[in-house]
Amino acid sequence: MSDVLRIGLVSISDRASTGVYEDKGLPALQDWFGTALRSPWQAETRLIPDEQAAIEATLIELCDVAGCHLVLTTGGTGPAPRDVTPEATLAVAHKVMPGFGEQMRQIGLAFVPTAILSRQVGVIRGQSLILNLPGQPKAIRETLEGARDADGSIRVPGIFAAVPYCIDLIGGPYIETDEAIVKAFRPKSALKPAS
């Protein structure tokens, strides 16, 4: 298996996918990975409407055909009728990873009380981890990095701290991060010398 982390990035928005406004989710994710990762990575990006069949097909293609180790969606996780990202994600899942959704809502609650309206999920399909992120660039960063105190110390850990070890466990490449942005946590037995 390749040492290059393949990341599928999917922005789900009716209006952005038809050009009504500019998508901000994909650039925010690419910028974040560009600063947060020390190991090699490449992205497969998709901008699609809030249609469950299209979301399912895109997730399956990124996991099964493109071979992405990690797939992140942004948008479509609220209670509105057109928000079907969690349903599509669960429909293609082989295993549900409930801790990711729980932690994403915990992080969000550090910022806004409406975080409880989010229905984000994390799942595994084959050798791919799929995570539903919020739609706004600031919320994407906070979800990945965590909530920080005024001095910059982490108050609520971000979800990405657990992602590299999860990718290890499902057969993906060893991911190293910039610890100033997010420190990957692994048990001592799973650590490799820094490259």
Side-chain angles (χ1 to χ4, degrees):
M1 187 163 252
S2 167
D3 287 339
V4 176
L5 175 67
R6 293 183 57 79
I7 307 172
L9 303 174
V10 185
S11 185
I12 299 161
S13 167
D14 286 332
R15 291 177 291 172
S17 67
T18 56
V20 173
Y21 63 73
E22 183 182 357
D23 172 64
K24 294 190 171 139
L26 294 174
L29 283 164
Q30 289 181 297
D31 289 348
W32 190 84
F33 280 108
T35 59
L37 294 185
R38 292 264 188 236
S39 38
W41 65 283
Q42 62 186 57
E44 288 274 340
T45 61
R46 306 286 187 273
L47 177 57
I48 61 174
D50 285 286
E51 297 287 350
Q52 185 167 341
I55 299 167
E56 289 179 25
T58 300
L59 296 176
I60 291 169
E61 184 256 327
L62 288 170
C63 295
D64 300 3
V65 180
C68 292
H69 307 101
L70 175 63
V71 177
L72 301 178
T73 69
T74 174
T77 60
R82 297 278 303 159
D83 291 337
V84 294
T85 301
E87 286 78 9
T89 304
L90 291 168
V92 304
H94 296 146
K95 291 182 181 177
V96 178
M97 303 293 290
F100 282 107
E102 293 163 8
Q103 188 64 12
M104 285 188 263
R105 283 179 284 281
Q106 189 67 31
I107 295 161
L109 283 168
F111 299 99
V112 293
T114 51
I116 60 172
L117 301 178
S118 171
R119 301 179 309 109
Q120 298 151 316
V121 298
V123 306
I124 290 171
R125 177 180 175 86
Q127 290 186 290
S128 306
L129 173 62
I130 305 171
L131 301 171
N132 301 153
L133 296 180
Q136 296 303 314
K138 181 178 181 287
I140 290 170
R141 189 186 76 252
E142 291 163 351
T143 300
L144 294 169
E145 292 179 24
R148 296 180 186 268
D149 286 323
D151 66 0
S153 62
I154 294 290
R155 181 170 25 122
V156 183
I159 63 164
F160 203 82
V163 168
Y165 186 51
C166 184
I167 299 290
D168 292 350
L169 294 172
I170 61 174
Y174 192 85
I175 303 166
E176 295 180 82
T177 62
D178 179 339
E179 294 188 4
I181 295 170
V182 63
K183 182 176 177 10
F185 179 84
R186 288 180 172 92
K188 286 182 183 167
S189 62
L191 292 172
K192 291 184 181 177
S195 58

